[in-house]
Amino acid sequence: MLSVILGILSAVCLAYFGIISFYSGIKTSAVWIWLALAVVFFLLSQGNVYYHQHKHKVPLWIPVSLATLCTAGVVIFVILQILIFGGMIRTAPEHLDYLIVLGAKVREDDISSSLKHRLDKAIRFAQEHPETKLVLSGGQGEGEPTAEAQAMAEYLAYNGIAREQMLLESVSTSTTENMLYSKRVIDEQREQEKESLQREQLKESLARLELSMALAQLETEEEAKVEEHVVMLESPTDPEEEKRREMIKKIRENLAKGEGRQRKSYGPAQEFYSASSGSQDANLEALMQVYPGAAELLPDKPLQIGVLTSNFHLYRAMKIGEKCGFEHLYGVASTADPVLFIHLCVRESIAILKDKFMGNM
């Protein structure tokens, strides 16, 4: 019975190898897996027949070792598939600051099916969330006419997504590099935003200071005019001495009341403006002390970052992203080619083991 099951599995693997080769070409990534599995299942089937016919000739440790090895392989494979399918069930929050779109194969005259599914999902997401920046990640691999990120940008722009909404990372050649270099692009872009906001805040604050100084100067000139008028009123040439003295008293009382309030308002601004003359950029900290609101340039809140990739690939991408230092990472899954889906899940199992052993996740 076991020999029959193994023989059927061998035939199924061989048939699926033929389907993939016909559907997407013999050069499909890791298509050899199915040919190798067909050979393995066939050998196991024939070995099982031989063992039952010649039990006395085969040492017991051989079938026991093979059975243990096959059982361990099946258990590991099942666990990996549970992780892969579990990773597909993810929901992103309503708002994302950045969405990393992972690249895939680009051909001479077209993009691969996997990349098209990802980009179509990215288009829908960008249209629903125009405030989210798309980080297009992918370099130029072997046999590709251009960097994946550039091809992705052209596809998105052709479909109506503004280029201002895109950031390109065009040097990575693996999922690990995708996440590492995308994080670098995001960090650099955030620094540029902070610097830009600092410059705008500084200009605004300096304009307020200049206005304050202009108002202070006007008030000083008005005070001088009032003093001059007072002196004229104190002149003994005026015959109505008693009325003049009363008027002088009232003017001085009003001036004393207003002087304290006005000079108190403009003292710090005047002090900073004098100190920062000719070196305004170097005195940003002093400016913030005068106007504390200037310190609130960009709140250091946790960024909401998503990663968009094919559903079968999402678990590994998320784990690699966490290893690369992303603190708040959310998955956004695109669909995969239905004909290649089984192949892609099996291939992904091997990739997970490889990245786990290499310390990438």
Side-chain angles (χ1 to χ4, degrees), residues 97-98 131-133 164 167 185-201 297-299 301 303:
D97 296 292
Y98 297 90
E131 76 285 353
T132 300
K133 291 283 188 180
E164 293 76 17
L167 298 173
V185 168
I186 291 172
D187 290 342
E188 290 175 354
Q189 203 267 344
R190 292 292 286 179
E191 286 302 317
Q192 291 175 3
E193 282 186 356
K194 287 184 178 181
E195 291 175 3
S196 176
L197 285 173
Q198 283 179 336
R199 286 193 294 270
E200 292 300 319
Q201 191 83 355
L297 298 177
L298 195 65
K301 66 178 183 65
L303 290 176

Side-chain angles (χ1 to χ4, degrees), residues 99-103 115 118-119 122 134-138 152 156 178 182 306-309:
L99 179 63
I100 302 171
V101 185
L102 301 187
L115 185 55
R118 296 178 191 182
L119 293 177
L134 301 180
V135 182
L136 310 179
S137 180
M152 293 158 73
L156 293 178
N178 283 147
S182 294
V307 54
L308 190 161
T309 186

Side-chain angles (χ1 to χ4, degrees), residues 187-331:
D187 290 342
E188 290 175 354
Q189 203 267 344
R190 292 292 286 179
E191 286 302 317
Q192 291 175 3
E193 282 186 356
K194 287 184 178 181
E195 291 175 3
S196 176
L197 285 173
Q198 283 179 336
R199 286 193 294 270
E200 292 300 319
Q201 191 83 355
L202 181 59
K203 290 178 182 178
E204 180 182 347
S205 298
L206 289 177
R208 290 165 58 194
L209 286 173
E210 290 174 357
L211 178 60
S212 298
M213 290 298 299
L215 291 174
Q217 182 64 30
L218 287 174
E219 291 174 2
T220 302
E221 292 175 359
E222 288 298 323
E223 289 174 10
K225 290 180 180 179
V226 170
E227 288 288 353
E228 182 181 350
H229 187 57
V230 168
V231 172
M232 292 176 61
L233 290 175
E234 288 179 335
S235 174
T237 58
D238 195 321
E240 300 181 357
E241 188 67 26
E242 207 48 51
K243 290 182 179 180
R244 285 198 303 270
R245 290 184 183 279
E246 188 66 30
M247 188 178 296
I248 290 170
K249 184 178 179 181
K250 289 181 179 180
I251 290 174
R252 283 182 170 169
E253 286 176 356
N254 292 334
L255 184 59
K257 290 177 182 178
E259 184 180 31
R261 290 196 304 269
Q262 294 159 353
R263 290 184 178 173
K264 185 177 181 181
S265 300
Y266 297 105
Q270 185 172 3
E271 181 180 349
F272 169 78
Y273 193 85
S274 300
S276 63
S277 180
S279 58
Q280 295 169 351
D281 292 336
N283 287 277
L284 182 57
E285 292 184 4
L287 173 62
M288 292 177 179
Q289 292 175 3
V290 177
Y291 290 105
E296 301 173 4
L297 298 177
L298 195 65
D300 288 330
K301 66 178 183 65
L303 290 176
Q304 303 278 78
I305 299 176
V307 54
L308 190 161
T309 186
S310 303
N311 49 17
F312 65 87
H313 184 225
L314 196 56
Y315 170 78
R316 181 161 63 101
M318 293 285 290
K319 288 299 179 182
I320 291 175
E322 292 170 5
K323 184 77 172 182
C324 292
F326 287 98
E327 295 181 3
H328 301 274
L329 193 62
Y330 303 90

Side-chain angles (χ1 to χ4, degrees), residues 2-23:
L2 180 60
S3 299
V4 174
I5 294 174
L6 291 172
I8 293 173
L9 288 174
S10 176
V12 168
C13 290
L14 188 60
Y16 193 46
F17 171 79
I19 291 171
I20 295 174
S21 300
F22 176 78
Y23 179 74

Side-chain angles (χ1 to χ4, degrees), residues 51 62 72 96 114 165 177-178 180 193 201 242 306 309 330:
Y51 172 70
I62 293 179
L96 288 175
S114 292
Q165 198 175 350
E177 290 182 355
N178 283 147
L180 278 173
E193 282 186 356
Q201 191 83 355
E242 207 48 51
T309 186
Y330 303 90

